[in-house]
Amino acid sequence: MTYSLPGSVRTSIVSSSYLGSADSPFVRTRAVIDQMKGWEIMKAVTSGTEYLRDNSEAFLPLEPREDYTAYLARVNRSVFTPYTQRLIRAAAGLILRKPISIQGDPYWTNVFNRDVDGCGSDLDEYARRLLICALTYGHCHTLVDFPAPSGARSLAEERALNRRPYWIEVDPTNVYGWRLDREVNYGNLTQVRIGEKAVVPDGEFGEKVYDQIRVIEPGRYRVFRQEQQRKEMQGPFPYPASFNQSDATAEYELVESGDFSLEQVPLITIYANKTDTLMSKPPLLDIAHLNLAHYQRQADLIHSLHIASQPMLVLEGWDDQTKDMAISVNYAMATQPGHKVYYVEPAASAFEAQSAEIQELQQQMATLGISTLSQQKFVAESADARRLDRIDTNSMLSMVSMDLESGLQKSYDLAADYLGLESPEVKISRDFDLQRLIGQDIAAMAQLFEDKVIDRDEFREMLVQGEILPTVAQTEDQSS
């Protein structure tokens, strides 16, 4: 349907594909649903073998006329190789291979950074989780929250009561929808709906789990909870297994509401491949598809090898009524003239095509993946080759690193607004552009030193930057 906007701005808006009433907080908007297929692919390649076996009919389809018992046997033999997950973790490790620098009030480094989420996670651990989530799904969120008022009269009393802001990591798959005001509010959020699970005690030892939605708007929030206890439903592909189709139609009630001091929605988004506000595309989705294809071909090969490893005995000229026949390595078989006994097994070349295809998929993943992550090269190669090899990698890592730095800075700014303090300055090192020096680089620098083009201190600094020698701080730590 088409809506007319005030002024001279007009646009065509396609209505959302949701289930249930448009007034239900549990409906997912079109923008969320459009991203779900990519999210499910990434969830599959990062969850591993058990998840793929549980959802085998989506990722390892039943062949035409295949016996279902044989199909289950093929599924249970399948093993997933986590190329994509290792690539994501390696990228996160490169971006955060040096601690995040925080400059400002000692409160941030001495208190806040040691437990940023209220669950004991320090800053670097929390930032690593954000990075892995963003590199997996395309973006990730931080919700900056603050405990309810307790009657404290000063900042000192609040600190004594351990009342302080904390960050909540919000997976993009848990955001059901949002609204923007591009004309009045400079495109900032005016509403966001976040899915949660409420765990309520039941009896002396039990518990009940309910689905609920937290609706956050500038200065206020509301929590809606489904009246019936949550029941897991496996949604059909491409919807994730966590997508309960009854969410949007179930009865719900308002269980909590309140105000907070910020006149904005305290949700900060870190992007790895942004397409629009709160929208992205998983940056490694192409590699994930190859990883799934590799899983399918490898499952076929494993199953074929299992079948082929048991050759079939053929008795030519014998009928099914023959009795007193013993088959063993301890027996020899005498046959009538014209009768034959032999084993039938496939030729070894029958599996060469499958093996070649698997190797080709592995090569494609290595080529499309970040080459400096999938295989570090410490052998001699031209400077041009190394520069071209890393240009795409560094551009992606730099982009994600800068967005993480910006997102953490905004999160600190919101936390500082709660506390009435000056926010610190956040810096993330981007020296992943400088990889370890190789032999020919060191030889060239040594020649410059011998020719007195550079002095001893400059030579040492180059070796430190090239990660051949440790920094002064590292040397002091080791000596202490």
Side-chain angles (χ1 to χ4, degrees), residues 222-243:
R222 291 169 290 165
V223 178
F224 297 91
R225 181 177 299 170
Q226 287 186 352
E227 295 180 355
Q228 64 184 27
Q229 185 177 355
R230 175 181 175 86
K231 294 181 179 179
E232 292 287 349
M233 293 180 60
Q234 295 292 329
F237 186 80
Y239 301 112
S242 59
F243 175 46

Side-chain angles (χ1 to χ4, degrees), residues 3-15:
Y3 295 88
S4 295
L5 301 180
S8 60
V9 180
R10 292 179 179 270
T11 185
S12 177
I13 303 176
V14 180
S15 60

Side-chain angles (χ1 to χ4, degrees), residues 346-368:
S349 59
F351 306 106
E352 291 180 358
Q354 285 181 303
S355 299
E357 184 177 2
I358 289 174
Q359 292 176 5
E360 177 63 24
L361 288 169
Q362 291 173 350
Q363 183 61 39
Q364 288 181 36
M365 283 187 282
T367 302
L368 287 178

